[in-house]
Amino acid sequence: MERKEVIWTAVLSSLLALLALVAALYACYWWQKRKRKQEEEEEAEPVVMQHPTSSLSRLNGILSLKTPLISTKALGTAGTPNKTPSGTSSNLAGTSIPEGKSAGATSPAPQNKALQNVKNEHPSMAFLQNRSISLVDMYIDNSEPSENVGQIHFSLEYDFQNTTLILRIIQGKELPAKDLSGTSDPYVRVTLLPDKKHRLETKIKRRTLNPRWNETFYFEGFPIQKLQSRVLHLHVFDYDRFSRDDSIGEVFLPLCQVDFSEKPSFWKALKPPAKDKCGELLTSLCYHPSNSILTLTLLKARNLKAKDINGKSDPYVKVWLQFGDKRIEKRKTAIFKCTLNPVFNDTFSFNVPWEKIRECSLDVMVMDFDNIGRNELIGRILLAGKNGSGASETKHWQDMITKPRQTIVQWHRLKPE
């Protein structure tokens, strides 16, 4: 009898301990979930909503800046839901639409007084002077596209009174054919980086290489200073009903570069998507003819290819100074553990006479360090004046020569071996 009581006591004790453990785990999960929710509310991420009507929507009263709205409409179209490539439609509720306003006619919003009173100075320029250099470096790419994948025409406007960014996607031109019919079914996906969760899409234009979208997107509740920390990303896709949509090309525009005192219109060449996604490297070059010093600065890399089973890499950079095919001098950065976006901030100087500057090159290799076995190549570029690894690498070297004593900064796409 006593033995049974001992067994029952042990069983009950075990059950109670298990229940206590489950309760503790649940409490921990609930606390972490609540903490994440509070952090998300503090970050005040915008809520993406699509506006299906043909009139400009305006919120009555004061806009809540904690939940900025992103809405869209098509110019000159009826009040039908705007279908996305997936075939779904979305509606915007809780907004009032004034009568008598057409899709393309928006009431001119008064500019803020600071913009009128200060000559050649406005909020966007003030931010540009005090901007975060990392944001600009991350998305500014002045290199020419490696291949022609068409252009996109769009315009921007800022409503200072209602703190609303107005984006008009007008048309595309000379897009490549992605279908067997010799045409494409293009649409544009819009995001305001660094927010990648919320995105908008234009309608699909069937069987055309020169689409006319004429659609307008409203990003409501964005104060000018907050807007300046965003990057407009336009990504053109070819819609395919039975398989994954094909990427045609994309454009990045840091909004801190845009003069919002005007209503700028842009024709931008689309950049082709990276086929071999090895990542990108931000470098700067500078040459001083007076003392024959060539300086290479490795600033940072982004979106490197993962080489380890944990989905990361241990990157470092190896640089060779070359004259023709002959390697002269080698340099290395430190190793950065478990990252795909390392910040190197490492500078190397080489002694290169002026008469040899057009003949030499820099072989830049981003490597993955491995404790066991051979280090693997992630990607590489060849910076040279004649036979660089690409048009952007050659142009970077030529810009360095034509602008002595100036630091030329540029992003480069890494190439596989």
Side-chain angles (χ1 to χ4, degrees), residues 26-42:
Y26 179 80
C28 183
Y29 168 76
W30 176 84
W31 181 80
Q32 288 180 345
K33 188 176 180 181
R34 183 180 177 185
K35 187 178 179 182
R36 280 200 303 269
K37 188 176 181 181
Q38 288 175 347
E39 289 174 351
E40 288 174 358
E41 288 175 354
E42 288 174 359

Side-chain angles (χ1 to χ4, degrees), residues 36-221:
R36 280 200 303 269
K37 188 176 181 181
Q38 288 175 347
E39 289 174 351
E40 288 174 358
E41 288 175 354
E42 288 174 359
E43 289 174 0
E45 291 293 340
V47 178
V48 180
M49 306 181 75
Q50 281 189 293
H51 198 306
T53 62
S54 61
S55 298
L56 169 62
S57 70
R58 295 292 184 206
L59 293 179
N60 293 328
I62 300 174
L63 289 170
S64 170
L65 299 185
K66 289 187 178 179
T67 56
L69 301 177
I70 302 178
S71 57
T72 177
K73 68 172 185 56
L75 290 172
T77 57
T80 56
N82 188 14
K83 286 196 173 184
T84 63
S86 59
T88 60
S89 62
S90 51
N91 297 299
L92 176 63
T95 60
S96 60
I97 304 170
E99 294 182 0
K101 285 193 178 182
S102 64
T106 60
S107 59
Q111 303 290 323
N112 61 357
K113 293 182 180 179
L115 234 131
Q116 295 174 344
N117 296 337
V118 183
K119 186 178 180 181
N120 295 329
E121 291 185 9
H122 48 84
S124 60
M125 286 299 145
F127 183 88
L128 187 59
Q129 293 170 359
N130 302 306
R131 68 182 185 267
S132 167
I133 194 70
S134 61
L135 171 76
V136 176
D137 290 341
M138 185 67 73
Y139 292 104
I140 289 181
D141 184 0
N142 295 320
S143 63
E144 294 297 322
S146 56
E147 59 180 296
N148 181 24
V149 291
Q151 300 178 59
I152 187 168
H153 186 199
F154 62 97
S155 67
L156 288 169
E157 181 182 347
Y158 187 72
D159 184 341
F160 286 91
Q161 185 179 19
N162 295 315
T163 61
T164 298
L165 174 68
I166 304 169
L167 164 67
R168 294 182 178 88
I169 298 181
I170 302 168
Q171 62 179 321
K173 185 171 72 173
E174 298 174 355
L175 302 183
K178 294 289 184 177
D179 300 334
L180 295 175
S181 60
T183 61
S184 292
D185 301 320
Y187 68 93
V188 184
R189 181 176 296 166
V190 183
T191 49
L192 276 184
L193 300 173
D195 177 19
K196 296 181 180 179
K197 294 185 294 183
H198 305 124
R199 63 192 187 193
L200 299 172
E201 292 171 349
T202 66
K203 291 181 179 178
I204 303 163
K205 296 300 176 181
R206 303 284 183 178
R207 294 180 294 279
T208 178
L209 301 180
N210 298 283
R212 286 186 170 271
W213 291 288
N214 287 327
E215 295 189 42
T216 302
F217 298 84
Y218 296 88
F219 299 82
E220 301 175 345

Side-chain angles (χ1 to χ4, degrees), residues 76-363:
T77 57
T80 56
N82 188 14
K83 286 196 173 184
T84 63
S86 59
T88 60
S89 62
S90 51
N91 297 299
L92 176 63
T95 60
S96 60
I97 304 170
E99 294 182 0
K101 285 193 178 182
S102 64
T106 60
S107 59
Q111 303 290 323
N112 61 357
K113 293 182 180 179
L115 234 131
Q116 295 174 344
N117 296 337
V118 183
K119 186 178 180 181
N120 295 329
E121 291 185 9
H122 48 84
S124 60
M125 286 299 145
F127 183 88
L128 187 59
Q129 293 170 359
N130 302 306
R131 68 182 185 267
S132 167
I133 194 70
S134 61
L135 171 76
V136 176
D137 290 341
M138 185 67 73
Y139 292 104
I140 289 181
D141 184 0
N142 295 320
S143 63
E144 294 297 322
S146 56
E147 59 180 296
N148 181 24
V149 291
Q151 300 178 59
I152 187 168
H153 186 199
F154 62 97
S155 67
L156 288 169
E157 181 182 347
Y158 187 72
D159 184 341
F160 286 91
Q161 185 179 19
N162 295 315
T163 61
T164 298
L165 174 68
I166 304 169
L167 164 67
R168 294 182 178 88
I169 298 181
I170 302 168
Q171 62 179 321
K173 185 171 72 173
E174 298 174 355
L175 302 183
K178 294 289 184 177
D179 300 334
L180 295 175
S181 60
T183 61
S184 292
D185 301 320
Y187 68 93
V188 184
R189 181 176 296 166
V190 183
T191 49
L192 276 184
L193 300 173
D195 177 19
K196 296 181 180 179
K197 294 185 294 183
H198 305 124
R199 63 192 187 193
L200 299 172
E201 292 171 349
T202 66
K203 291 181 179 178
I204 303 163
K205 296 300 176 181
R206 303 284 183 178
R207 294 180 294 279
T208 178
L209 301 180
N210 298 283
R212 286 186 170 271
W213 291 288
N214 287 327
E215 295 189 42
T216 302
F217 298 84
Y218 296 88
F219 299 82
E220 301 175 345
F222 277 90
I224 188 68
Q225 290 298 328
K226 181 177 181 180
L227 192 65
Q228 300 299 326
S229 66
R230 300 301 180 100
V231 175
L232 178 66
H233 181 207
L234 305 180
H235 198 159
V236 182
F237 286 89
D238 168 55
Y239 173 71
D240 197 320
R241 180 177 296 176
F242 302 107
S243 64
R244 188 177 181 182
D245 296 348
D246 295 318
S247 173
I248 293 177
E250 59 189 351
V251 167
F252 294 94
L253 178 63
L255 294 180
C256 62
Q257 293 185 318
V258 178
D259 182 355
F260 285 113
S261 65
E262 307 291 337
K263 297 178 182 178
S265 178
F266 302 91
W267 271 106
K268 291 282 188 181
L270 295 169
K271 299 288 180 73
K275 295 176 182 177
D276 300 294
K277 296 185 178 179
C278 300
E280 296 174 277
L281 182 66
L282 182 64
T283 66
S284 75
L285 287 173
C286 182
Y287 184 71
H288 287 263
S290 58
N291 55 7
S292 301
I293 296 297
L294 168 63
T295 302
L296 168 69
T297 302
L298 302 168
L299 296 166
K300 64 172 78 173
R302 66 184 180 194
N303 304 324
L304 295 181
K305 190 172 184 179
K307 290 289 187 178
D308 300 335
I309 57 174
N310 61 0
K312 300 288 184 180
S313 290
D314 300 326
Y316 69 96
V317 182
K318 182 167 61 175
V319 181
W320 275 101
L321 173 66
Q322 300 181 156
F323 285 92
D325 295 330
K326 186 178 180 181
R327 289 179 168 179
I328 305 297
E329 192 174 350
K330 183 176 74 171
R331 302 290 180 84
K332 284 184 187 179
T333 68
I335 299 166
F336 290 78
K337 294 287 187 178
C338 296
T339 179
L340 301 180
N341 301 282
V343 178
F344 300 109
N345 282 333
D346 219 337
T347 299
F348 303 127
S349 295
F350 304 91
N351 197 319
V352 179
W354 171 252
E355 59 273 14
K356 298 285 186 180
I357 192 66
R358 298 178 189 276
E359 302 172 19
C360 71
S361 61
L362 291 173
D363 188 8

